[in-house]
Amino acid sequence: MVKKGQSKRQPWVKNLYSNREYPDNYTDASFLKDLRTNLHCRIYTFGEAIAGITVLNNQISCITGFLILYQLMLSDSVSPTTILVPSCGITGIGYLCYRGRSLSWALLGEDSKTLVTVVLFGYLFSPMLHTLTQAISTDTIYTMTFFVLLGNLIFGHYGLDVAMVSKAVSLNAAIFGAICLASRLPTSYHAFVLLVEAAVFFVLYPIMTEANWHAGFMVPIFSMCCMALYCISRPVLYLYASTTIFINFVCPFIFVWQQQYKFNIHGPWDEAIVEENTEENLDGNL
């Protein structure tokens, strides 16, 4: 009798009020028929992962190179002019490569006006910036610099449009760190050169590399940092090189290996996505 009564039950449907003959926790085999896993999930290769992580390593090398120049001027191992002149030459070559065929006399004139204005105001205000944080202890200055440069790394743009990315916060953190370090240098001219180098490393260089990024761009700056650290401090060199190797090779290996455990589920319960009509998809949406 029980089996006969059960055979007359209505088919189970995905409406709770229509399933009075079934327990509340009952699910039919058709409940997950629309379940899909790992839709639109891209699997990255080891080479792609290494090429992608070089953007982060490039930013670490920029910060390292900037701190190396600061240490060279602080210890008076190199004069500020010796640092400034090659930087101007390299920046000029980078500007020509960045503009390319789009360069014109009118564009060169506008960019030159901007450059002269920024350099002139930076030179005029360098004595004030040199003494701005002079009353603060050196330990506090170095601690603040560490955290603001860490903020520059965290909020930097590495090709992903996520909520925590902020170019303004990243740039301001780097400039603030440069202003903090400028007060530890001997003269206002040293501070001016340090601020110029901050503009080169954290403003101009990222603009040029972001427009035409290639993983090979990291090699020159990494090599120069290693050669400079070899003369300054061997332990720091070992730390920098091992950190770069770990981030550039070990982390991509872990990422690629962990991809096999991806399990994203999709189904009718997904949130509806309203697609904006554009010229490309307008005909298909009508």
Side-chain angles (χ1 to χ4, degrees), residues 216-280:
F217 290 169
M218 195 197 76
V219 177
I221 188 171
F222 173 74
S223 302
M224 288 187 291
C225 288
C226 287
M227 289 187 292
L229 288 175
Y230 181 81
C231 301
I232 296 175
S233 175
R234 301 288 179 84
V236 178
L237 170 62
Y238 299 148
L239 177 62
Y240 169 68
S242 58
T243 302
T244 302
I245 293 173
F246 177 80
I247 294 176
N248 214 63
F249 295 101
V250 178
C251 289
F253 174 78
I254 297 174
F255 172 75
V256 173
W257 176 63
Q258 289 289 333
Q259 287 184 115
Q260 60 182 318
Y261 300 108
K262 283 186 177 181
F263 189 73
N264 298 329
I265 60 174
H266 305 270
W269 53 82
D270 287 349
E271 182 180 355
I273 299 176
V274 179
E275 185 176 358
E276 182 180 359
N277 288 332
T278 61
E279 295 180 358
E280 298 177 356

Side-chain angles (χ1 to χ4, degrees), residues 14-34:
K14 291 183 180 180
N15 294 321
L16 184 60
Y17 59 85
S18 300
N19 301 318
R20 298 178 180 178
E21 302 177 1
Y22 296 89
D24 292 341
N25 60 349
Y26 176 83
T27 55
D28 191 73
S30 61
F31 179 73
L32 297 178
K33 67 177 182 179
D34 296 324

